[in-house]
Amino acid sequence: MHNMTTKTTQSKQLEGIVVSDKMKDTVVVVVDEFIKHPKYHKFIRRQKKYAAHDEGNQAHVGQKVTIEATRPISKTKRFKVVSREE
């Protein structure tokens, strides 16, 4: 007999702040990342912007949101909004 196992993959989740909500069903989220420099051991802050799908335009500028990687929705959108804080 052959054992069938289901493989579950955990999606990449990031936390950030909404900086733009002017598009339809899309928000721009800035994600901060603190990394340690390999040679100088100083912490560096890096920021990256992600376009995320927001069904129904629920998130607004200044809100903290969690985004999750998903299939490509458009040319730039590869994430969707999972949860948001009020």
Side-chain angles (χ1 to χ4, degrees):
M1 294 227 289
H2 192 262
N3 249 349
M4 298 275 301
T5 57
T6 56
K7 187 176 183 181
T8 57
T9 58
Q10 187 159 358
S11 298
K12 185 176 185 179
Q13 287 193 342
L14 303 170
E15 282 190 5
I17 297 174
V18 176
V19 292
S20 174
D21 62 352
K22 295 181 180 180
M23 297 170 275
K24 181 184 174 193
D25 292 337
T26 305
V27 292
V28 178
V29 180
V30 169
V31 176
D32 284 333
E33 178 185 31
F34 284 94
I35 62 160
K36 194 172 189 178
H37 192 280
K39 182 177 180 181
Y40 300 111
H41 308 291
K42 181 178 180 178
F43 282 96
I44 303 167
R45 185 179 93 171
R46 290 191 177 165
Q47 288 185 329
K48 188 165 182 184
K49 290 182 181 180
Y50 294 97
H53 185 69
D54 178 29
E55 189 66 39
N57 299 320
Q58 299 294 321
H60 299 291
V61 174
Q63 285 184 332
K64 191 173 185 179
V65 295
T66 303
I67 58 176
E68 180 179 57
T70 183
R71 63 175 179 78
I73 298 170
S74 71
K75 181 181 176 182
T76 57
K77 288 198 290 188
R78 304 292 190 261
F79 286 85
K80 66 179 177 180
V81 176
V82 178
S83 65
R84 58 186 168 81
E85 292 182 10
E86 292 299 322

Coordinates of all heavy atoms in Angstrom, one line a residue:
M1 N 0.8 -1.2 0.0 CA 0.0 0.0 0.0 C 0.9 1.2 0.0 O 1.9 1.2 0.6 CB -0.9 0.0 1.2 CG -1.9 -1.1 1.2 SD -3.5 -0.7 1.6 CE -3.5 -0.3 3.3
H2 N 0.4 2.3 -0.6 CA 1.1 3.5 -0.8 C 0.5 4.6 0.1 O -0.7 4.8 0.1 CB 1.1 4.0 -2.2 CG 2.0 5.1 -2.5 ND1 1.6 6.4 -2.5 CD2 3.4 5.1 -2.8 CE1 2.7 7.1 -2.8 NE2 3.8 6.4 -2.9
N3 N 1.3 5.2 1.0 CA 0.8 6.2 1.8 C 0.7 7.5 1.1 O 1.6 8.0 0.5 CB 1.7 6.4 3.0 CG 1.1 6.0 4.3 OD1 -0.1 5.7 4.4 ND2 1.9 5.8 5.3
M4 N -0.5 8.1 1.1 CA -0.7 9.4 0.5 C -0.6 10.5 1.6 O -1.3 10.5 2.6 CB -2.1 9.5 -0.2 CG -2.3 8.5 -1.3 SD -1.7 9.1 -2.8 CE -2.6 10.5 -3.1
T5 N 0.3 11.4 1.4 CA 0.5 12.6 2.3 C 0.2 13.8 1.6 O 0.6 14.0 0.4 CB 1.9 12.6 2.9 OG1 2.8 12.7 1.8 CG2 2.2 11.4 3.7
T6 N -0.5 14.7 2.2 CA -0.8 16.0 1.6 C 0.3 17.0 2.1 O 0.6 17.1 3.2 CB -2.2 16.5 2.0 OG1 -2.2 16.6 3.5 CG2 -3.3 15.6 1.5
K7 N 0.8 17.7 1.1 CA 1.8 18.7 1.4 C 1.2 20.1 1.6 O 0.5 20.6 0.7 CB 2.8 18.7 0.2 CG 4.0 19.6 0.5 CD 5.0 19.5 -0.6 CE 6.2 20.2 -0.4 NZ 7.2 20.2 -1.5
T8 N 1.4 20.7 2.7 CA 0.9 22.0 3.0 C 2.0 23.0 3.0 O 3.0 22.8 3.6 CB 0.1 22.1 4.3 OG1 1.0 21.7 5.4 CG2 -1.1 21.2 4.4
T9 N 1.8 24.0 2.2 CA 2.9 25.1 2.2 C 2.4 26.3 2.9 O 1.2 26.7 2.8 CB 3.2 25.4 0.7 OG1 2.0 25.9 0.1 CG2 3.8 24.3 0.0
Q10 N 3.2 26.9 3.6 CA 2.9 28.1 4.4 C 3.2 29.3 3.5 O 4.3 29.5 3.0 CB 3.6 28.2 5.7 CG 3.2 29.3 6.5 CD 3.5 29.2 8.0 OE1 4.1 28.2 8.3 NE2 3.2 30.1 8.8
S11 N 2.2 30.2 3.3 CA 2.4 31.3 2.4 C 3.2 32.4 3.1 O 3.1 32.5 4.4 CB 1.0 31.9 2.0 OG 0.3 31.0 1.3
K12 N 3.9 33.1 2.4 CA 4.7 34.2 2.9 C 3.8 35.3 3.4 O 3.0 35.9 2.6 CB 5.7 34.7 1.9 CG 6.6 35.8 2.4 CD 7.6 36.1 1.3 CE 8.7 37.1 1.8 NZ 9.6 37.4 0.8
Q13 N 3.9 35.7 4.7 CA 3.1 36.8 5.2 C 4.0 37.9 5.7 O 5.0 37.7 6.3 CB 2.2 36.3 6.4 CG 1.1 35.4 5.9 CD 0.1 35.2 7.0 OE1 0.3 35.4 8.2 NE2 -1.1 34.8 6.7
L14 N 3.6 39.1 5.4 CA 4.3 40.3 5.8 C 3.4 41.3 6.5 O 2.2 41.4 6.2 CB 5.0 41.0 4.6 CG 5.9 40.1 3.7 CD1 6.2 40.8 2.4 CD2 7.2 39.8 4.5
E15 N 4.0 42.1 7.4 CA 3.2 43.2 8.0 C 3.7 44.5 7.6 O 4.9 44.7 7.5 CB 3.3 43.1 9.5 CG 2.4 42.0 10.1 CD 2.4 42.1 11.7 OE1 2.9 43.1 12.2 OE2 1.8 41.2 12.3
G16 N 2.8 45.4 7.3 CA 3.2 46.8 6.9 C 2.1 47.8 7.1 O 1.0 47.5 7.6
I17 N 2.3 49.0 6.6 CA 1.4 50.1 6.7 C 1.0 50.5 5.3 O 1.8 50.7 4.4 CB 2.1 51.2 7.5 CG1 2.4 50.8 8.9 CG2 1.2 52.5 7.5 CD1 3.2 51.8 9.7
V18 N -0.3 50.8 5.2 CA -0.9 51.2 3.9 C -0.5 52.7 3.7 O -0.7 53.5 4.5 CB -2.4 51.1 3.9 CG1 -3.0 51.7 2.6 CG2 -2.8 49.7 4.1
V19 N 0.1 52.9 2.5 CA 0.5 54.3 2.2 C -0.3 54.9 1.0 O -0.2 56.1 0.8 CB 2.0 54.4 1.8 CG1 2.9 54.1 3.0 CG2 2.4 53.5 0.7
S20 N -1.0 54.1 0.3 CA -1.9 54.5 -0.8 C -3.1 53.6 -1.0 O -2.9 52.4 -1.0 CB -1.1 54.6 -2.1 OG -1.9 55.0 -3.2
D21 N -4.3 54.2 -1.1 CA -5.5 53.5 -1.3 C -6.3 54.1 -2.5 O -7.5 54.0 -2.5 CB -6.3 53.3 -0.1 CG -6.8 54.7 0.5 OD1 -6.3 55.7 -0.1 OD2 -7.6 54.7 1.4
K22 N -5.6 54.7 -3.4 CA -6.3 55.5 -4.4 C -6.8 54.6 -5.6 O -7.6 55.1 -6.4 CB -5.4 56.6 -5.0 CG -5.1 57.7 -3.9 CD -4.2 58.7 -4.5 CE -4.0 59.8 -3.4 NZ -3.1 60.9 -3.9
M23 N -6.3 53.4 -5.7 CA -6.7 52.5 -6.8 C -7.8 51.7 -6.4 O -8.1 51.5 -5.2 CB -5.5 51.6 -7.2 CG -4.3 52.4 -7.7 SD -2.8 51.4 -7.9 CE -2.2 51.4 -6.3
K24 N -8.5 51.1 -7.4 CA -9.7 50.3 -7.2 C -9.2 48.9 -6.8 O -8.4 48.3 -7.5 CB -10.6 50.2 -8.4 CG -11.8 49.3 -8.2 CD -12.6 49.2 -9.5 CE -13.7 48.2 -9.3 NZ -14.3 47.8 -10.6
D25 N -9.6 48.4 -5.6 CA -9.3 47.0 -5.1 C -7.8 46.8 -5.0 O -7.3 45.7 -5.0 CB -9.8 46.0 -6.0 CG -11.4 45.9 -6.0 OD1 -11.9 46.3 -5.0 OD2 -12.0 45.4 -6.9
T26 N -7.0 47.9 -4.8 CA -5.5 47.8 -4.6 C -5.1 48.8 -3.6 O -5.5 49.9 -3.6 CB -4.8 48.0 -6.0 OG1 -5.3 47.2 -7.0 CG2 -3.3 47.8 -5.8
V27 N -4.2 48.3 -2.7 CA -3.5 49.2 -1.8 C -2.0 49.0 -1.9 O -1.5 48.0 -2.4 CB -3.9 49.0 -0.3 CG1 -5.3 49.4 -0.1 CG2 -3.7 47.5 0.1
V28 N -1.2 50.1 -1.6 CA 0.2 50.0 -1.6 C 0.6 49.9 -0.1 O 0.3 50.8 0.7 CB 0.9 51.2 -2.3 CG1 2.4 51.1 -2.2 CG2 0.4 51.2 -3.8
V29 N 1.4 48.9 0.2 CA 1.8 48.6 1.6 C 3.3 48.7 1.7 O 4.1 48.1 0.9 CB 1.4 47.2 2.0 CG1 1.8 46.9 3.5 CG2 -0.1 47.1 1.9
V30 N 3.8 49.5 2.7 CA 5.3 49.6 2.9 C 5.6 48.6 4.0 O 5.0 48.7 5.1 CB 5.7 51.1 3.3 CG1 7.1 51.1 3.8 CG2 5.5 52.0 2.1
V31 N 6.6 47.8 3.8 CA 7.1 46.8 4.7 C 8.5 47.2 5.2 O 9.4 47.3 4.3 CB 7.0 45.4 4.2 CG1 7.6 44.4 5.1 CG2 5.6 45.0 3.8
D32 N 8.7 47.4 6.5 CA 10.0 47.7 7.0 C 10.7 46.4 7.4 O 10.1 45.5 7.9 CB 9.9 48.6 8.3 CG 9.6 50.0 7.9 OD1 9.9 50.5 6.8 OD2 9.0 50.7 8.8
E33 N 12.0 46.4 7.2 CA 12.8 45.2 7.5 C 14.1 45.7 8.1 O 14.8 46.6 7.6 CB 13.1 44.4 6.2 CG 14.0 43.2 6.4 CD 14.3 42.5 5.1 OE1 14.4 43.2 4.1 OE2 14.5 41.3 5.2
F34 N 14.4 45.1 9.3 CA 15.7 45.4 10.0 C 16.6 44.2 9.8 O 16.3 43.1 10.1 CB 15.5 45.7 11.5 CG 14.9 47.0 11.8 CD1 13.5 47.1 11.9 CD2 15.7 48.1 11.9 CE1 13.0 48.4 12.2 CE2 15.1 49.3 12.1 CZ 13.8 49.5 12.3
I35 N 17.8 44.5 9.1 CA 18.7 43.5 8.9 C 20.1 43.9 9.5 O 20.3 45.1 9.7 CB 18.9 43.1 7.4 CG1 19.4 44.3 6.6 CG2 17.7 42.6 6.8 CD1 20.1 44.0 5.3
K36 N 20.9 42.9 9.9 CA 22.2 43.2 10.4 C 23.2 43.1 9.3 O 23.3 42.1 8.6 CB 22.5 42.2 11.5 CG 23.6 42.6 12.4 CD 23.7 41.6 13.6 CE 24.7 42.1 14.6 NZ 24.8 41.2 15.7
H37 N 24.0 44.1 9.2 CA 25.1 44.2 8.2 C 26.1 43.1 8.5 O 26.6 42.9 9.6 CB 25.8 45.5 8.2 CG 26.7 45.7 7.0 ND1 27.9 45.2 6.9 CD2 26.4 46.4 5.8 CE1 28.5 45.5 5.7 NE2 27.6 46.2 5.1
P38 N 26.4 42.3 7.5 CA 27.3 41.1 7.7 C 28.7 41.5 8.2 O 29.3 40.7 9.0 CB 27.4 40.4 6.4 CG 26.8 41.3 5.4 CD 26.0 42.3 6.1
K39 N 29.2 42.6 7.8 CA 30.6 42.9 8.2 C 30.6 43.9 9.4 O 31.4 43.7 10.3 CB 31.3 43.6 7.0 CG 32.8 43.9 7.3 CD 33.5 44.5 6.1 CE 34.9 44.8 6.3 NZ 35.6 45.4 5.2
Y40 N 29.8 44.9 9.3 CA 29.9 46.0 10.3 C 29.0 45.7 11.5 O 29.0 46.5 12.5 CB 29.7 47.3 9.7 CG 30.7 47.6 8.6 CD1 30.3 47.7 7.3 CD2 32.0 47.8 9.0 CE1 31.3 48.0 6.3 CE2 33.0 48.1 8.0 CZ 32.6 48.1 6.7 OH 33.5 48.4 5.7
H41 N 28.1 44.8 11.4 CA 27.2 44.4 12.5 C 26.3 45.5 13.0 O 25.8 45.5 14.1 CB 27.9 43.8 13.7 CG 28.8 42.7 13.3 ND1 28.4 41.4 12.9 CD2 30.2 42.6 13.2 CE1 29.4 40.7 12.6 NE2 30.5 41.4 12.8
K42 N 26.0 46.4 12.1 CA 25.1 47.5 12.4 C 23.7 47.2 11.8 O 23.6 46.6 10.7 CB 25.6 48.8 11.7 CG 24.7 50.0 12.0 CD 25.4 51.3 11.4 CE 24.5 52.5 11.7 NZ 25.1 53.7 11.1
F43 N 22.6 47.5 12.5 CA 21.3 47.2 12.0 C 20.9 48.3 11.0 O 21.1 49.5 11.2 CB 20.3 47.2 13.1 CG 20.4 45.9 13.9 CD1 21.1 45.8 15.0 CD2 19.7 44.8 13.4 CE1 21.2 44.6 15.7 CE2 19.8 43.6 14.1 CZ 20.5 43.5 15.3
I44 N 20.4 47.8 9.8 CA 20.0 48.7 8.7 C 18.5 48.5 8.5 O 18.0 47.4 8.5 CB 20.7 48.3 7.4 CG1 22.2 48.4 7.7 CG2 20.3 49.2 6.3 CD1 23.0 47.8 6.6
R45 N 17.8 49.6 8.3 CA 16.4 49.6 8.0 C 16.2 49.7 6.5 O 16.6 50.6 5.9 CB 15.6 50.7 8.7 CG 14.1 50.6 8.5 CD 13.4 51.8 9.2 NE 13.2 52.8 8.2 CZ 12.5 53.9 8.4 NH1 11.9 54.1 9.6 NH2 12.4 54.8 7.5
R46 N 15.4 48.7 6.0 CA 15.1 48.7 4.6 C 13.6 48.7 4.4 O 12.9 48.1 5.2 CB 15.7 47.4 3.9 CG 17.1 47.4 3.8 CD 17.6 46.3 2.9 NE 19.1 46.4 2.8 CZ 19.8 45.4 2.3 NH1 19.3 44.3 1.9 NH2 21.1 45.5 2.2
Q47 N 13.2 49.4 3.4 CA 11.7 49.5 3.1 C 11.5 49.0 1.7 O 12.3 49.3 0.8 CB 11.3 51.0 3.2 CG 11.2 51.5 4.6 CD 10.6 52.9 4.6 OE1 10.7 53.7 3.6 NE2 9.9 53.3 5.7
K48 N 10.3 48.4 1.6 CA 9.9 47.9 0.3 C 8.4 48.1 0.1 O 7.7 47.9 1.1 CB 10.3 46.4 0.1 CG 10.1 46.0 -1.4 CD 10.8 44.7 -1.7 CE 10.5 44.3 -3.1 NZ 11.1 43.1 -3.5
K49 N 8.0 48.5 -1.1 CA 6.6 48.7 -1.3 C 6.0 47.5 -2.1 O 6.6 47.1 -3.0 CB 6.3 50.0 -2.1 CG 6.6 51.3 -1.3 CD 6.3 52.5 -2.2 CE 6.6 53.7 -1.4 NZ 6.3 54.9 -2.3
Y50 N 4.8 47.1 -1.7 CA 4.1 46.0 -2.3 C 2.7 46.5 -2.7 O 2.0 47.1 -1.9 CB 4.0 44.8 -1.4 CG 5.3 44.1 -1.0 CD1 5.9 44.4 0.2 CD2 5.9 43.2 -1.9 CE1 7.1 43.8 0.5 CE2 7.1 42.6 -1.5 CZ 7.7 42.9 -0.4 OH 8.9 42.3 0.0
A51 N 2.3 46.1 -3.9 CA 0.9 46.4 -4.3 C 0.1 45.1 -3.9 O 0.5 44.0 -4.2 CB 0.8 46.6 -5.8
A52 N -0.9 45.3 -3.1 CA -1.7 44.2 -2.6 C -3.2 44.3 -3.0 O -3.7 45.4 -3.0 CB -1.6 44.1 -1.1
H53 N -3.8 43.2 -3.3 CA -5.2 43.2 -3.6 C -6.1 43.3 -2.4 O -5.9 42.6 -1.4 CB -5.6 41.8 -4.3 CG -7.0 41.8 -4.8 ND1 -7.4 42.5 -5.8 CD2 -8.0 41.0 -4.4 CE1 -8.7 42.2 -6.1 NE2 -9.1 41.4 -5.2
D54 N -7.0 44.3 -2.4 CA -7.8 44.6 -1.2 C -9.3 44.6 -1.7 O -9.8 45.6 -2.2 CB -7.5 46.0 -0.7 CG -8.3 46.4 0.5 OD1 -8.8 45.5 1.2 OD2 -8.5 47.6 0.7
E55 N -9.9 43.5 -1.6 CA -11.3 43.3 -2.1 C -12.2 44.2 -1.4 O -12.3 44.2 -0.1 CB -11.8 41.9 -1.9 CG -13.1 41.5 -2.6 CD -13.0 41.6 -4.1 OE1 -12.0 41.2 -4.7 OE2 -14.0 42.1 -4.7
G56 N -13.0 45.1 -2.1 CA -13.9 46.0 -1.5 C -13.3 47.2 -0.9 O -14.1 48.0 -0.2
N57 N -12.1 47.5 -1.1 CA -11.4 48.8 -0.6 C -11.6 49.0 0.9 O -12.1 50.0 1.3 CB -11.9 50.0 -1.4 CG -11.6 49.9 -2.9 OD1 -10.5 49.4 -3.2 ND2 -12.5 50.3 -3.7
Q58 N -11.3 48.0 1.7 CA -11.5 48.0 3.1 C -10.4 48.7 3.9 O -10.6 49.4 4.9 CB -11.7 46.6 3.7 CG -12.8 45.8 3.1 CD -14.2 46.4 3.5 OE1 -14.3 46.9 4.6 NE2 -15.1 46.5 2.6
A59 N -9.2 48.6 3.4 CA -8.0 49.2 4.1 C -7.8 50.7 3.6 O -8.1 51.0 2.5 CB -6.8 48.4 3.8
H60 N -7.4 51.5 4.6 CA -7.2 52.9 4.3 C -5.7 53.3 4.7 O -5.1 52.6 5.5 CB -8.2 53.8 5.0 CG -9.6 53.4 4.5 ND1 -10.1 53.7 3.3 CD2 -10.6 52.8 5.1 CE1 -11.3 53.3 3.1 NE2 -11.7 52.7 4.3
V61 N -5.3 54.5 4.3 CA -4.0 55.0 4.6 C -3.7 55.1 6.1 O -4.6 55.6 6.8 CB -3.8 56.4 3.9 CG1 -2.4 57.0 4.3 CG2 -3.9 56.3 2.4
G62 N -2.6 54.6 6.5 CA -2.2 54.6 7.9 C -2.5 53.4 8.7 O -2.0 53.2 9.8
Q63 N -3.3 52.5 8.1 CA -3.7 51.2 8.8 C -2.6 50.2 8.7 O -1.9 50.1 7.7 CB -5.0 50.6 8.2 CG -6.2 51.3 8.6 CD -7.5 50.6 8.1 OE1 -7.4 49.9 7.1 NE2 -8.6 50.8 8.8
K64 N -2.4 49.4 9.8 CA -1.5 48.3 9.8 C -2.2 47.1 9.2 O -3.3 46.7 9.7 CB -1.0 48.1 11.2 CG 0.2 47.2 11.3 CD 0.7 47.1 12.7 CE 2.0 46.3 12.8 NZ 2.5 46.3 14.1
V65 N -1.6 46.5 8.2 CA -2.2 45.3 7.6 C -1.2 44.2 7.5 O 0.0 44.3 7.5 CB -2.7 45.6 6.1 CG1 -3.9 46.7 6.2 CG2 -1.6 46.1 5.2
T66 N -1.8 43.0 7.3 CA -1.0 41.8 7.0 C -1.3 41.3 5.6 O -2.5 41.2 5.2 CB -1.3 40.6 8.0 OG1 -1.1 41.1 9.3 CG2 -0.5 39.4 7.7
I67 N -0.3 41.1 4.8 CA -0.5 40.7 3.4 C 0.1 39.3 3.2 O 1.1 38.9 3.9 CB 0.1 41.7 2.4 CG1 1.6 41.9 2.6 CG2 -0.6 43.0 2.4 CD1 2.3 42.8 1.6
E68 N -0.4 38.6 2.3 CA 0.0 37.2 2.1 C 0.3 37.0 0.6 O -0.5 37.5 -0.3 CB -1.1 36.3 2.5 CG -0.8 34.8 2.4 CD -2.0 34.0 2.9 OE1 -3.1 34.1 2.4 OE2 -1.7 33.1 3.8
A69 N 1.3 36.2 0.3 CA 1.7 35.9 -1.1 C 0.6 35.1 -1.7 O 0.0 34.2 -1.1 CB 3.0 35.2 -1.2
T70 N 0.3 35.4 -3.0 CA -0.8 34.6 -3.7 C -0.4 34.5 -5.2 O 0.7 35.0 -5.6 CB -2.1 35.3 -3.6 OG1 -3.1 34.6 -4.2 CG2 -2.1 36.7 -4.1
R71 N -1.2 34.0 -6.0 CA -1.0 33.8 -7.4 C -0.9 35.3 -8.0 O -1.5 36.2 -7.5 CB -2.0 33.0 -8.1 CG -3.4 33.6 -8.0 CD -4.4 32.8 -8.8 NE -5.7 33.4 -8.7 CZ -6.2 34.5 -9.3 NH1 -5.4 35.1 -10.2 NH2 -7.4 34.9 -9.2
P72 N -0.3 35.4 -9.2 CA -0.3 36.8 -9.8 C -1.7 37.2 -10.2 O -2.4 36.5 -10.9 CB 0.6 36.6 -11.0 CG 1.4 35.4 -10.7 CD 0.6 34.5 -9.9
I73 N -2.1 38.4 -9.7 CA -3.4 38.9 -9.9 C -3.3 39.9 -11.1 O -4.2 40.0 -11.9 CB -3.9 39.6 -8.7 CG1 -4.1 38.6 -7.6 CG2 -5.3 40.3 -8.9 CD1 -4.4 39.1 -6.2
S74 N -2.2 40.7 -11.2 CA -2.0 41.6 -12.3 C -0.5 41.7 -12.5 O 0.3 40.9 -12.0 CB -2.6 43.0 -12.0 OG -1.9 43.6 -11.0
K75 N -0.1 42.7 -13.3 CA 1.3 42.9 -13.6 C 2.2 43.1 -12.3 O 3.3 42.6 -12.2 CB 1.5 44.1 -14.5 CG 2.9 44.3 -14.9 CD 3.0 45.5 -15.8 CE 4.5 45.8 -16.1 NZ 4.6 47.0 -17.0
T76 N 1.6 43.9 -11.4 CA 2.4 44.2 -10.2 C 1.9 43.6 -8.9 O 2.6 43.5 -7.9 CB 2.4 45.7 -9.9 OG1 1.0 46.2 -9.8 CG2 3.1 46.4 -11.1
K77 N 0.6 43.1 -8.9 CA 0.0 42.5 -7.7 C 0.3 41.0 -7.5 O -0.1 40.2 -8.3 CB -1.5 42.7 -7.6 CG -1.9 44.2 -7.4 CD -3.3 44.3 -7.0 CE -4.3 44.0 -8.0 NZ -5.7 44.3 -7.6
R78 N 1.0 40.7 -6.4 CA 1.4 39.3 -6.1 C 1.0 39.0 -4.6 O 1.3 37.9 -4.1 CB 2.9 39.1 -6.2 CG 3.5 39.4 -7.6 CD 2.9 38.4 -8.7 NE 3.6 38.5 -9.9 CZ 3.2 39.2 -11.0 NH1 2.1 39.9 -10.9 NH2 3.9 39.2 -12.1
F79 N 0.3 40.0 -4.0 CA -0.1 39.8 -2.6 C -1.5 40.2 -2.4 O -2.1 40.9 -3.2 CB 0.8 40.7 -1.7 CG 2.2 40.2 -1.5 CD1 3.2 40.5 -2.4 CD2 2.5 39.4 -0.4 CE1 4.5 40.1 -2.2 CE2 3.8 39.0 -0.2 CZ 4.8 39.3 -1.1
K80 N -2.1 39.7 -1.3 CA -3.5 40.1 -1.0 C -3.6 40.4 0.5 O -2.8 39.9 1.3 CB -4.5 39.0 -1.3 CG -4.4 37.7 -0.5 CD -5.4 36.7 -0.8 CE -5.2 35.4 0.0 NZ -6.1 34.4 -0.3
V81 N -4.5 41.3 0.9 CA -4.6 41.7 2.2 C -5.4 40.7 3.0 O -6.5 40.2 2.6 CB -5.4 43.1 2.3 CG1 -5.6 43.5 3.8 CG2 -4.6 44.2 1.6
V82 N -4.8 40.2 4.1 CA -5.4 39.1 4.9 C -6.1 39.7 6.1 O -7.3 39.3 6.3 CB -4.3 38.1 5.4 CG1 -4.9 37.0 6.2 CG2 -3.6 37.5 4.2
S83 N -5.5 40.6 6.8 CA -6.1 41.1 8.0 C -5.7 42.6 8.1 O -4.6 43.0 7.6 CB -5.8 40.3 9.2 OG -4.5 40.4 9.5
R84 N -6.5 43.3 8.8 CA -6.1 44.7 9.1 C -6.6 45.1 10.5 O -7.5 44.6 11.0 CB -6.8 45.6 8.0 CG -8.3 45.6 8.0 CD -8.9 46.4 6.9 NE -10.3 46.0 6.7 CZ -11.2 46.5 7.4 NH1 -11.0 47.4 8.3 NH2 -12.5 46.2 7.2
E85 N -5.8 46.1 11.0 CA -6.2 46.7 12.4 C -7.0 48.0 12.1 O -6.7 48.7 11.2 CB -4.9 46.9 13.2 CG -4.2 45.7 13.6 CD -3.0 46.0 14.4 OE1 -2.9 47.2 14.9 OE2 -2.2 45.1 14.7
E86 N -7.8 48.2 13.0 CA -8.7 49.5 12.9 C -7.9 50.7 13.4 O -7.1 50.9 14.0 CB -9.9 49.3 13.7 CG -10.9 48.3 13.2 CD -11.4 48.6 11.8 OE1 -11.6 49.8 11.5 OE2 -11.5 47.7 11.0

